[in-house]
Amino acid sequence: CATFLVLTLTGLWLWWPRQWLSRVLWFRKAKGKARDWNWHNVIGLWSSPMLLLITLTGLLMAYRPLADLLYKTPEPTAITRPAGARPLSPDALLALAQAAAPSWEQITLRLGNPRRERSAQNSRLAAPSSKLTAPISPLTLAIRETGSLSPIPRQLTVILFTGEILRDERLAGYSLPRALRMHAKPLHTGEAGGWLGAT
């Protein structure tokens, strides 16, 4: 992504024409190398906004420190597991989400963070005598509602053992930096533009 971004920016810098309206904005009738040169510039110019968007959002998705410069996601609040409590079943969680959003169209359960869990496990193995334990994080349910045009689903954060709803968040309530970071994936995949963007 970074290499592609550099190529796009330097290409625009090198080939930005002084007489761009007549030379590289549209295809011209030409043959041989002149035709190839014209096609290269026209396609490159019109593709550059899309390439910039794809590479920038790809970098935000691939490198968390870079995305944290835009908006740093707060660490989830650790929850103490009640004695003898068992996690709610997926069916119970789905029922909870359906009750909170009757107009739901799609519900996605995010059951844990494998990277964080592996990191916590490695920490316990490295220091077996310590009292380190993996934090029990709230569960996030992503809900897409019927008729919603937002590419960012509604986020429902619940306690896995009790079903208590901690946060019910929609795109309209996000700060600008958070909204921009949340848009990285739908912009990168084209989902934000509907079928035309995906194409």
Side-chain angles (χ1 to χ4, degrees), residues 4-198:
F4 216 155
L5 176 63
V6 171
L7 285 173
T8 306
L9 291 174
T10 54
L12 284 171
W13 178 263
L14 289 171
W15 301 115
W16 188 259
R18 295 179 181 178
Q19 298 178 352
W20 57 280
L21 279 175
S22 61
R23 296 198 173 186
V24 300
L25 187 61
W26 309 115
F27 291 107
R28 294 186 299 132
K29 289 184 178 180
K31 295 181 179 180
K33 291 184 178 180
R35 178 200 57 203
D36 297 343
W37 181 265
N38 174 246
W39 285 19
H40 172 84
N41 287 321
V42 172
I43 294 172
L45 183 67
W46 285 102
S47 299
S48 57
M50 179 181 64
L51 293 174
L52 286 173
L53 185 66
I54 291 172
T55 52
L56 284 171
T57 52
L59 286 171
L60 289 176
M61 292 167 58
Y63 301 105
R64 184 168 181 175
L66 184 62
D68 285 345
L69 293 176
L70 179 63
Y71 175 81
K72 186 173 178 62
T73 304
E75 290 295 325
T77 305
I79 297 173
T80 304
R81 179 174 182 168
R86 296 175 61 92
L88 296 177
S89 67
D91 288 339
L93 291 168
L94 284 174
L96 176 70
Q98 290 168 348
S103 61
W104 69 276
E105 184 177 89
Q106 178 183 6
I107 300 174
T108 304
L109 302 180
R110 300 176 182 175
L111 299 173
N113 185 326
R115 288 184 182 179
R116 187 175 292 123
E117 289 167 4
R118 284 197 299 271
S119 176
Q121 183 180 12
N122 292 337
S123 298
R124 291 196 302 273
L125 292 174
S129 60
S130 69
K131 296 181 179 180
L132 289 174
T133 57
I136 300 173
S137 301
L139 182 73
T140 300
L141 298 95
I143 305 172
R144 293 198 177 278
E145 296 177 286
T146 303
S148 175
L149 299 178
S150 171
I152 307 300
R154 179 178 172 183
Q155 305 281 331
L156 200 66
T157 304
V158 302
I159 297 178
L160 183 57
F161 300 100
T162 64
E164 177 188 350
I165 298 176
L166 296 177
R167 291 187 299 276
D168 187 355
E169 300 172 298
R170 294 174 174 83
L171 178 61
Y174 293 164
S175 65
L176 179 60
R178 184 181 182 187
L180 290 174
R181 178 168 179 173
M182 293 290 288
H183 273 87
K185 184 175 184 293
L187 287 173
H188 184 79
T189 61
E191 181 185 357
W195 66 267
L196 182 62

